[in-house]
Structure formats: structure tokens, C-alpha cells
Amino acid sequence: MKHFTIKELAHSDTALAKGIDNFPTAEAINNLTKLVDNVLDPLREKYGKPILVSSGYRSAILNRSVNGATSSQHRLGEAADITVGSKEGNRKLFEIIKSELPFDQLIDEKDFSWVHVSFREGRNRKQILKL
């Protein structure tokens, strides 16, 4: 893990505001590490500029409080919502992931307002969605 930290991937303004413990489980930390090593760090190297994680790991309580899907990969530490602060930049991230990196799900969220990416070692579906 070169460019991202577990603390950054577990940070949540909502959790802080509501007093929710969002410290990841050992399994989630393992999954977050794989996500960073296989997708996020290589993406940062290819993009060449910092990438912000707007949502990474979510505990069950936090996931419910943000109306996340009960089957959300964020709960397992397998997913991150990322942005570089512009739709144009986010589109570039999306294209790099799509063409050059392993992933399970890649989602263009709200016309590139952010990008959702997930990684499941050995079980990647290469599913591309637009929400």
C-alpha cells in the first residue's frame, strides 16, 4: 500500500457525525489491502495525480445509515468510491481501470460524479455499469 491507508479507506464523515465505529474487521482490512495493491495504487501511478476516496469500508451500521445496498461490497472492504474532483478526470480514471486494471465492478455514478470500483481476488466479474 503505497498511496492509500486503511485509515483513509475507513474514513467517513457520516460515521464521525453519528458516532459510529467504522473500524474495519481483519477480513475487511485484508480485502482493502488487495483493492489498493491491485487497483488503487496502480491507478494512482497511471493517473499521475492524487485520487480521493470518498467512501471505502462501511460497517453494517454505517452502510444502513447511508442507505447502502445490504449486499454492498463496501461492507466487505472490497469497494471504494473515488474521485479526482472533476467529471472529466473521473471519466479518465474509469477508462484506465476499464482498459488496464483488474476489477470486479466498475460503475460510472451519476455521469462521472464519482467512480465506484471493486476487486475480489480470483472472483472478478468485470461488470461495467452506469447508475
Side-chain angles (χ1 to χ4, degrees):
M1 292 183 53
K2 185 175 175 186
H3 297 287
F4 299 88
T5 65
I6 295 299
K7 184 178 179 184
E8 173 182 16
L9 290 158
H11 173 80
S12 165
D13 290 340
T14 301
L16 289 174
K18 295 188 174 192
I20 297 168
D21 176 9
N22 197 49
F23 193 80
T25 63
E27 178 191 12
I29 289 172
N30 186 37
N31 290 336
L32 288 166
T33 302
K34 289 176 186 171
L35 174 66
V36 170
D37 290 347
N38 289 281
V39 185
L40 298 181
D41 271 349
L43 177 62
R44 170 63 175 82
E45 296 287 327
K46 291 172 187 297
Y47 186 68
K49 295 179 207 153
I51 297 167
L52 175 74
V53 175
S54 55
S55 180
Y57 172 75
R58 292 186 206 142
S59 65
I61 296 166
L62 177 60
N63 193 61
R64 272 195 301 276
S65 72
V66 299
N67 297 317
T70 50
S71 61
S72 173
Q73 287 180 284
H74 288 277
R75 287 192 48 205
L76 303 172
E78 294 176 341
D81 294 338
I82 57 175
T83 183
V84 293
S86 73
K87 289 186 177 195
E88 179 184 315
N90 293 344
R91 185 184 313 264
K92 193 169 181 183
L93 294 181
F94 186 94
E95 292 304 325
I96 293 170
I97 296 167
K98 183 174 145 184
S99 61
E100 301 180 42
L101 295 169
F103 65 90
D104 179 49
Q105 267 191 335
L106 180 60
I107 306 174
D108 161 13
E109 301 261 12
K110 301 186 182 187
D111 190 31
F112 297 102
S113 292
W114 70 90
V115 174
H116 168 100
V117 64
S118 66
F119 178 84
R120 301 187 309 172
E121 192 169 59
R123 301 176 299 137
N124 286 325
R125 297 169 287 179
K126 292 288 244 187
Q127 186 177 58
I128 298 172
L129 302 168
K130 184 176 177 69
L131 296 180

